[in-house]
Amino acid sequence: MTEILLLVLAGGFVGFLVGLTGVGGGSLMTPLLLLFGFPPHIAIGTDLLYASITKASGVYSHSRHSSINWRLVGVMASGSIPASILTTIVLSLWFSDASQYTGVLVTSLGVMLILTSIVLLYRTRLLAFREGASWFSGIMRERTTLLTFSMGVFLGVFVTLTSVGAGAIGTAVLMVLYPHLTGVRIVGTDLAHAVPLTLVAGLGHMQLGNIDYTLLLCLLIGSLPATHLGTKLGKHMPSEVLRPVLATMLLLLGLKYAFF
C-alpha cells in the first residue's frame, strides 16, 4: 500500500511540474522511475503509454480551436510511426530479452535528456531566431518537407527507445523549420504527432512485455489532477525561473546515463 501511494505521489509530482513549467513529462517521469529502481525497459514502456493517454485531451482541445497543422502531423508521422515499429521489431528480433538491450536504452536516454536540456536552456535564443528567420525559411522551403520527415524518423527511433523528446525536441525543430507558424499551432501540431507516436511505441513495448500496469494506473491517478493544478498555478508564476533549474538537472542526468 505504501509503495502504491508513493507511485501516485510521484505521478502527481511530475504532473504538477509539467503543468507548472511546460517541460515534457517523459523527460521527468522516466528518470524519476529509474531513481525509484524500476528497470529501464519497464520505466520507458510504461511511460510511453502514460504519455499517450495524458496527451490525448490536449490534442482534443487544440483540435477544437483549429490550432493543429494536420499536414505537418502527417509528414512527421509518415517517418516516425514506421521508424517506431521498426525499432520495436529490431529489439524483438535482435535481442533475446530486455536485459540485453538495457545498455542501448540507457545510453539513448542520456543522449535525449542532454538534447532536451539544451533545448530548454536555449529556448529564448530559439524564439529570437524564430522571429528573424524568414530568410532561413526562404532558403529551406524546398527542403522543409524532407527535414520534417527526417525529424519524424529520428523521433520515431529515439522516443521508442527512451520515451523522451516527442515534446521538447519536436517543438524546437518545428519552431526552426516553420517560423511562420504561431506558437499555439506549433504546440498543437507537435502534440497531435506525439500522441500516435507514443501510443504506437507504447504498444510495441507492450508486445515486448515492458509495461507495468499497476504503475501505469498509479501514475495516471496522481498526475491527471496535479497537471491541471500545475497549469492553473503556472499562469501566475514565472516558469522561466524553474525551467533552467530543471534543464540543468536533466543535463546532469543525461551525462550520467550517456557516459557513466
Side-chain angles (χ1 to χ4, degrees):
M1 187 65 184
T2 302
E3 181 181 353
I4 290 177
L5 178 60
L6 185 62
L7 294 176
V8 171
L9 291 175
F13 174 70
V14 171
F16 181 74
L17 288 179
V18 169
L20 190 65
T21 66
V23 176
S27 304
L28 300 172
M29 185 65 80
T30 301
L32 181 62
L33 293 178
L34 292 181
L35 291 175
F36 275 18
F38 285 93
H41 61 286
I42 297 296
I44 291 166
T46 304
D47 184 50
L48 283 166
L49 275 188
Y50 161 83
S52 68
I53 296 170
T54 54
K55 291 176 186 290
S57 62
V59 174
Y60 174 73
S61 177
H62 277 282
S63 179
R64 287 186 59 192
H65 292 87
S66 301
S67 54
I68 297 174
N69 187 317
W70 290 107
R71 186 190 73 82
L72 291 184
V73 173
V75 174
M76 288 189 288
S78 66
S80 65
I81 300 302
S84 176
I85 294 171
L86 182 60
T87 301
T88 303
I89 292 173
V90 169
L91 290 178
S92 175
L93 297 179
W94 196 269
F95 303 97
S96 60
D97 59 70
S99 64
Q100 294 188 349
Y101 57 77
T102 294
V104 175
L105 299 183
V106 172
T107 301
S108 299
L109 175 63
V111 171
M112 292 299 279
L113 288 175
I114 292 170
L115 290 177
T116 299
S117 68
I118 291 172
V119 168
L120 294 175
L121 289 171
Y122 289 93
R123 180 183 177 85
T124 303
R125 294 190 181 184
L126 280 174
L127 288 171
F129 176 82
R130 164 188 165 79
E131 293 300 321
S134 58
W135 60 271
F136 180 84
S137 179
I139 294 175
M140 302 300 293
R141 186 170 291 114
E142 295 181 357
R143 300 179 179 86
T144 50
T145 299
L146 177 59
L147 291 173
T148 304
F149 172 82
S150 300
M151 178 190 73
V153 173
F154 173 84
L155 290 176
V157 173
F158 284 96
V159 169
T160 303
L161 291 176
T162 68
S163 79
V164 174
I169 296 175
T171 298
V173 176
L174 287 175
M175 284 170 54
V176 173
L177 292 180
Y178 300 94
H180 62 281
L181 287 181
T182 61
V184 68
R185 284 182 67 81
I186 286 177
V187 172
T189 300
D190 182 68
L191 195 61
H193 168 250
V195 168
L197 171 56
T198 53
L199 177 60
V200 168
L203 292 175
H205 277 272
M206 182 187 293
Q207 295 297 315
L208 294 172
N210 295 346
I211 307 295
D212 185 322
Y213 296 100
T214 301
L215 171 62
L216 175 61
L217 181 60
C218 290
L219 296 180
L220 290 172
I221 291 172
S223 68
L224 292 177
T227 302
H228 181 70
L229 176 61
T231 301
K232 280 187 171 295
L233 292 178
K235 297 177 181 178
H236 308 287
M237 294 181 64
S239 63
E240 296 302 327
V241 175
L242 282 176
R243 189 175 284 121
V245 175
L246 290 174
T248 302
M249 179 184 72
L250 295 179
L251 177 61
L252 294 175
L253 287 171
L255 291 172
K256 173 187 173 182
Y257 292 136
F259 300 110
F260 300 100

